[in-house]
Amino acid sequence: MFKLSKKTVYGLLALQHLIELEDGESATVREMSEIYNISQPLLAKICQNLSKHKLIQSVQGARGGYQLQVPAGDISIAQVVEALEGPITLVDCADHQHVCKRVDQCRLKPGFLSLQKHFRDYLGQVSLADMQSL
């Protein structure tokens, strides 16, 4: 079964929280972890990864925390998944680094590659803003 990891779901929850802030406001990891019942160290790591990928930014100071770095409509679900999990691959053989022992017998790889591309493209078209209104 395919499903998003908890890390990705928690990242999406944090981003949802940041979307709902007023302009200029920021939210702390502690605040978000309490609201959504997420481990504070895990959420801190998630926010660091989202910040590293320039989806959110850290705000310093007494009223510091995190806020979106770009508009929610410009952040795709694919960007979030890849920031937190790495490249989207549905099966190991679709990862170009992977060497499969069954390459001579298996004829599924082209189909997997096509499916993976369509899936990645779809996630690339759905933005955080879209998720709020679906």
Side-chain angles (χ1 to χ4, degrees):
M1 173 198 316
F2 174 81
K3 65 181 187 177
L4 296 175
S5 72
K6 284 183 181 181
K7 186 170 30 171
T8 297
V9 172
Y10 295 164
L12 289 167
L13 282 171
L15 289 164
Q16 169 196 304
H17 187 83
L18 298 178
I19 289 169
E20 295 170 355
L21 297 175
E22 298 293 325
D23 284 343
E25 279 189 306
S26 60
T28 66
V29 168
R30 181 178 185 180
E31 171 189 331
M32 292 185 287
S33 72
E34 289 174 1
I35 291 170
Y36 299 105
N37 194 28
I38 301 170
S39 155
Q40 195 169 334
L42 175 58
L43 189 55
K45 185 173 182 173
I46 289 168
C47 287
Q48 288 170 351
N49 282 337
L50 293 172
S51 180
K52 178 178 146 185
H53 285 84
K54 302 193 184 318
L55 301 178
I56 64 175
Q57 61 187 358
S58 175
V59 177
Q60 303 301 314
R63 301 189 54 84
Y66 286 98
Q67 55 188 214
L68 291 181
Q69 187 164 338
V70 295
D74 294 342
I75 300 174
S76 74
I77 301 306
Q79 287 175 293
V80 176
V81 171
E82 290 175 338
L84 298 173
E85 303 293 339
I88 296 171
T89 55
L90 298 179
V91 291
D92 287 339
C93 68
D95 178 358
H96 298 294
Q97 305 290 326
H98 182 76
V99 177
C100 181
K101 298 175 187 176
R102 296 173 196 86
V103 69
D104 293 333
Q105 296 82 23
C106 178
R107 303 292 177 251
L108 298 174
K109 185 173 181 175
F112 283 136
L113 290 173
S114 176
L115 181 61
Q116 179 173 294
K117 180 188 180 320
H118 289 296
F119 184 64
R120 169 51 177 92
D121 289 348
Y122 177 74
L123 291 180
Q125 293 171 8
V126 178
S127 73
L128 288 175
D130 294 333
M131 291 291 288
Q132 296 287 100
S133 62
L134 290 177

